Amino acid sequence: MDIFVKRPVIALVIALVLLLSGAIATKKIAVLQFPQVESTSLVINTRFEGSPAAVVQGFITDPIERVAMTVPGVDYVDSKTTAGQSLVTVWLKLNEDSNAALTELNTQLNQIKSEFPAAAEDPSVTLQRADRSGAAFYLSVDGGKKSRSEVTDYLQRRVSPRLATISGVQRIGLHGERNPAMRIWLDPVKLAALNMPASEIWSALEASNVIAALGKTENDQQQINLLSNATFKTTDDFARLVIRKDQNAVIRLKDVASVELGEDTGTETARTDLQQSVFIAVWPQPGANEIRIGDELYPMLENINATLPDGMHISIGYDGTKYMRAALTGIFTTLLETIVLVGIVVLAMMGSLRTALVPLVTIPLSILGAVAVIWMIGFTLNLLTILAIVLSVGLVVDDAIVVVENVARHMQQGQSRLDAALQSSRELLSPIIAMTLTLAAVYAPIGFVSGLTGSLFREFAFTLAVAVLISGLVAITLSPVMSARVNPEKGREGKLTRRVNDYFEHLRTVYDNALCRVFGWKAQLLTAACLLSLLMVPFYLFSSKELAPVEDEGGIMMIVEAPATGSIEYTSHYMDSVVNSLEGLEGKTGIWQVVTPSNGFGGVEFVDYDDRRQSVQELLPQLFQILSGISGLKVFPVLPPALPTAGQFDVELVVQGPDDYLTMVKYARQLIEAAYASGQFMFVSTDLKIELLQARLVFDRDRMADLGMTMESVNSQLKAMNSEQYVNRFNSNGKAYRVITQLEGKDRSEPEKLMDVTLMNAAGDRIPLRAIAHLEPEVSPQALGSFNQQKAFRIQGGVIPGITNDMALATLEKAATNILPQGYSLDYAGISRQLRKEGNSMMSVLLMSLMVVYLLLAVQFNNFRSPLVVLAGSVPLALSGALMLSFLGLTTLNIYAQIGLITLVALVAKNGILITEFADTLQKKGFNKLDAIRQSARTRLRPVLMTTLATVLGHFPLVLVTGAGAEARNSIGIILVGGMLIGTLFTLFVLPCVYLWLGKQHSVINQFHLLVDRESL
């Protein structure tokens, strides 16, 4: 482009615009761990206190699942039904409108409420992010001398509203909390003595504790709102409630029950180490700058602690941005190392600091320009886009290196600065456009990939493509002008420059002689190249595969399983043993736990990576060995997922079947045995466990009829004594809390004691429960699971070190094929679902990228043979060499490695373009095909080596990096560095032979050789 050489101010203005726009964007762009993904689930929680799981499933779960499947954008629906609770989760497809789905779901639920039992609570629907299993921050609350209900009440009134004001916070949740509740502990002896059924107390509470809406009085002068004391507020109000009044006495609630302001029914307990606590969960909005939330949270927490009651304190229990900050710091460090190494390469290859400035200036211009563009289109600065920027450092200098080398060569031949710049611009316009578009277009197919992979890596690909396009723009506009200014004219080169030039001239001669010998063995070389290229197939098939490498996030999760009949107190007691057993674990800073009656989860937090000798991957087997010795509980250590996806286990296989759960559990056990027998699993478990001990009340209906009792009256009395259903609510300082009636613990500690309670018939006669019913013990599933409205169970496991998720999942699939009878089917959840849906998506993208590059080059070369020379002479051997590295176990074939393979295609193709395009030009100037390819390979040797070394050393820090986020960078770095070295070596010798075999014979358009002296050949 002559205009930029003749009017250099235009080029400078373009460069300044890139700098200024990038500087502005860096201050405003959001910073996240991963690109923003609209990954949402709708969690429908419905409580039916006192009801067995089978009843809850039939009357509540099944109708909810039926309507949930009709919501637009649903990927799948699963459910878990336990005694007293139905939990249905609607998983939406990626990037579906969650608000529209929520609206439709609520509409559907309102239409089926009439199908629910009258005692069931209304379904509660929560919109939850599915791209993360937990909140970004968990705050641990030490209540001091306050009770747990008092702490909960204080947090809900005074702390949560303040935290919710932080910009970017979606919601504030509590774990292990207990809302205040008015507990009315019935005395069965006093009730029997007064011939009073428990249902009478329930009715009295319903009739006397009401919300009165009395309206107002008004006249032409004023209006006055009417208030009342119809709603109880204090324990004394409830204690003085008149239950029955006759001629002899007034019976108040305090005469038959003790009343206290206690805790509501709890489903979980939060703990920090051995201390009971309450956790505050801070959930960020999708796309919010989580680091900025943390920056606001810490000082706000200091201010809140200063105002807390004596003895109460809130601390940071878990900071999800800690890993993100470390990973971002590490990747920025890698970026600086990359820039320095690329600068050293350019300086060494050019022999002049002034000359090296030309490609080095391209780096900040391309990076800042790319940041400006991704900010303007709504992308974020995250681990993947920053990784793209790191990769771009080794790529964006390529075009500028080619330009500065070409201008220097022309000036060494005696041309003036202006003529050399003009001549170089005209010669390189076509190949620079071809190389730039090739490297940018190779990522275009990623834009068509669906699912999580496409959503995550679309920003990565676009960022890298934009940086490369901007580098091409800089190479066309600014680089020729700068090259003409900084390159010394002939005879004025510095000593180091002359020495470097002489070295490359000697290297060209050696290379040319080697190439002449290779041409004598052309057929043999091409045959060997074909055989080596074909090795990529077994290399690919026998490489270990996984969705993404697991990173060291500074913590290990724990999944806890307790006996089905366990209580919260039981699980908490044995968790003390877990905490104590890990006391001497190196680098441990704390253990947090959320405990439920039959299970729980938690995490072991460690010091920063640099402050400990072992990674979490190395600590995982040690932790498993320690936890395996814990009695009373099963505790499984797992690492957090590498990508933002639902699921906590390495493998989650869903088995759907037509049989009842008692039949299905046999197959679950066989699959677990097969998994352990494979030697690939550290642990295996299932969510289908037939071990929940229950006691069925079998009523004698004839006996009930003889005694004048109905099932409704018996149920209402037992409900009031044992079910924990709440009667209504009371007002306490402007908030409504539950009123719950129940027998005291000693009177319902076991089923046999409950048989001694006295019921009343219509005539007022006292009848013990055992007179009309008897107990039948039975064992049932701990939870009833379903998947897409079919009965289902899951096989969940953690793999041993050295085994990938794909290998373990394939083992389970093979076992399922041999074990499961006809009528059963397999599905997937969590990481396994992403692996099976998208595990090989990038390999299809690789094939599409090759096709895009081929068609693009066909347009550029105006024929279909030259692009074939470029790709056949460079790409297959480079891919084979890169896949050999995964075959040898240096890395797994994961999503990052596949991105590296796609990038490698464009990089080695760029070298092929340089050689092939110049050879075609020489043919048109009168050279025969052999002379043209020899001279082209000789002339382009220096830029090919310079761009290759810049790429290799620029990406080499990715190979050596350790710490947060290192595994992904290691994987892509190994593929690029190894593949580029092998690919370039083969390109320099194989591509000329391929050109002689497949290259097009061009007609002469100019007999005078302007640039090349054929005698030098």
Side-chain angles (χ1 to χ4, degrees), residues 608-621:
D608 292 340
Y609 181 88
D610 295 333
D611 297 329
R612 50 188 156 89
R613 294 178 296 177
Q614 293 178 300
S615 66
V616 293
Q617 290 89 339
E618 294 169 326
L619 289 167
L620 183 66

Side-chain angles (χ1 to χ4, degrees), residues 678-694:
S678 70
Q680 297 179 342
F681 288 85
M682 183 182 300
F683 66 86
V684 192
S685 181
T686 179
D687 62 347
L688 180 56
K689 298 180 176 66
I690 311 295
E691 56 184 31
L692 180 62
L693 183 62
Q694 297 185 133

Side-chain angles (χ1 to χ4, degrees), residues 140-148 150-156 158-159 278 280 304-315:
S140 179
V141 183
D142 180 1
K145 296 181 179 180
K146 286 184 173 292
S147 68
R148 187 162 41 178
E150 291 174 329
V151 170
T152 300
D153 189 52
Y154 185 89
L155 294 177
Q156 290 175 336
R158 305 291 299 275
V159 177
V278 175
I280 304 175
I304 291 175
N305 275 320
T307 63
L308 294 177
D310 290 342
M312 193 172 175
H313 182 75
I314 304 176
S315 59

Side-chain angles (χ1 to χ4, degrees), residues 73-85:
V74 170
D75 184 16
Y76 66 95
V77 175
D78 65 6
S79 69
K80 179 181 179 181
T81 307
T82 55
Q85 184 180 38

Side-chain angles (χ1 to χ4, degrees), residues 662-718:
L662 288 174
T663 303
M664 295 174 74
V665 74
K666 296 185 297 183
Y667 302 125
R669 290 168 180 163
Q670 292 179 42
L671 286 171
I672 290 175
E673 291 173 2
Y676 275 122
S678 70
Q680 297 179 342
F681 288 85
M682 183 182 300
F683 66 86
V684 192
S685 181
T686 179
D687 62 347
L688 180 56
K689 298 180 176 66
I690 311 295
E691 56 184 31
L692 180 62
L693 183 62
Q694 297 185 133
R696 180 181 295 274
L697 274 174
V698 181
F699 290 98
D700 186 339
R701 294 179 183 269
D702 293 336
R703 178 66 173 158
M704 289 172 61
D706 292 341
L707 295 173
M709 304 182 76
T710 65
M711 189 60 69
E712 191 279 331
S713 67
V714 171
N715 178 67
S716 63
Q717 293 181 65
L718 290 176

Side-chain angles (χ1 to χ4, degrees), residues 532-546 804 806-807 835-836 838-847 879-888 891-895 897-898 901 975:
L532 291 174
S533 298
L534 291 175
L535 285 176
M536 75 171 73
V537 176
F539 286 162
Y540 172 77
L541 294 176
F542 293 102
S543 293
S544 297
K545 301 176 182 67
E546 61 181 340
T804 64
D806 180 74
M807 295 167 63
L835 182 63
R836 283 295 172 259
E838 306 173 24
N840 294 320
S841 59
M842 283 300 171
M843 299 311 294
S844 60
V845 169
L846 178 60
L847 297 177
L879 291 178
S880 185
L883 288 171
M884 179 182 66
L885 301 176
S886 63
F887 172 76
L888 294 175
T891 181
T892 60
L893 202 56
N894 54 68
I895 197 76
Q898 293 173 31
L901 292 174
I975 291 294

Side-chain angles (χ1 to χ4, degrees), residues 114-163:
S114 60
E115 301 180 29
F116 297 159
E121 299 180 19
D122 288 340
S124 169
V125 184
T126 304
L127 192 67
Q128 186 168 301
R129 289 179 61 176
D131 59 332
R132 63 186 313 149
S133 57
F137 302 90
Y138 285 95
L139 313 182
S140 179
V141 183
D142 180 1
K145 296 181 179 180
K146 286 184 173 292
S147 68
R148 187 162 41 178
S149 60
E150 291 174 329
V151 170
T152 300
D153 189 52
Y154 185 89
L155 294 177
Q156 290 175 336
R157 293 175 185 271
R158 305 291 299 275
V159 177
S160 293
R162 291 185 63 180
L163 296 176

